[in-house]
Amino acid sequence: MPIVHWRDDYTVKVNIFDDHHKTLFNAINQLYDTILERYEQDQTISPSETNAIQTAFDSLLHYTEYHFTAEEKELEYHAYPDYAQQKKAHDFFKNKIIAAMEAFKNSGEVEIELLEFLKRWLIDHILVLDRNYSGFLNSKGVT
Ligand SMILES: [Fe+2]
Ligand SMILES: [Fe+2]
């Protein structure tokens, strides 16, 4: 069952970035499903379950980096006034994922609250900071 659902009012009015955001939601859902599956079976972690969780974490991290870089490049290219704020927020989120991956590697445990946090952070980021660039990028012909 997905933890996060796309809604039309999450649009940032730049098609490519809406697509990126949808893919990020999918990556969070994939990680959530993989973790839940493990808990639904039994409490022992088999190597294949550990691998599946690591793979889901890797996908989330890689796609997050891909999307943030694309957004930052576009905003920097057009000299977006709040670029620094975006960059700082992106770095914070990336570091959260990296820290969670490290913690999982060391303890073999993932807190379900982490998934709730990632979901909430991403939605809030899209609704506030990302949506703030909509008008700016649209005015530069980026739609
Ligand atoms: Fe974004
Ligand atoms: Fe962003």
Side-chain angles (χ1 to χ4, degrees), residues 14-79:
V14 176
N15 286 333
I16 184 94
F17 293 154
D18 280 345
D19 287 345
H20 287 181
H21 292 153
K22 287 174 193 170
T23 305
L24 278 176
F25 280 20
N26 287 339
I28 289 177
N29 285 332
Q30 181 61 44
L31 178 62
Y32 182 67
D33 277 350
T34 313
I35 291 166
L36 271 196
E37 258 168 44
R38 193 194 94 190
Y39 282 103
E40 276 164 5
Q41 287 162 10
D42 52 48
Q43 292 301 314
T44 56
I45 313 158
S46 72
S48 69
E49 286 162 349
T50 302
N51 287 344
I53 294 172
Q54 264 162 6
T55 303
F57 260 129
D58 282 341
S59 302
L60 175 63
L61 179 63
H62 288 143
Y63 203 81
T64 297
E65 286 172 335
Y66 171 77
H67 167 60
F68 286 173
T69 302
E71 230 175 45
E72 286 162 18
K73 263 175 86 177
E74 195 67 40
L75 294 173
E76 199 175 23
Y77 178 78
H78 293 288

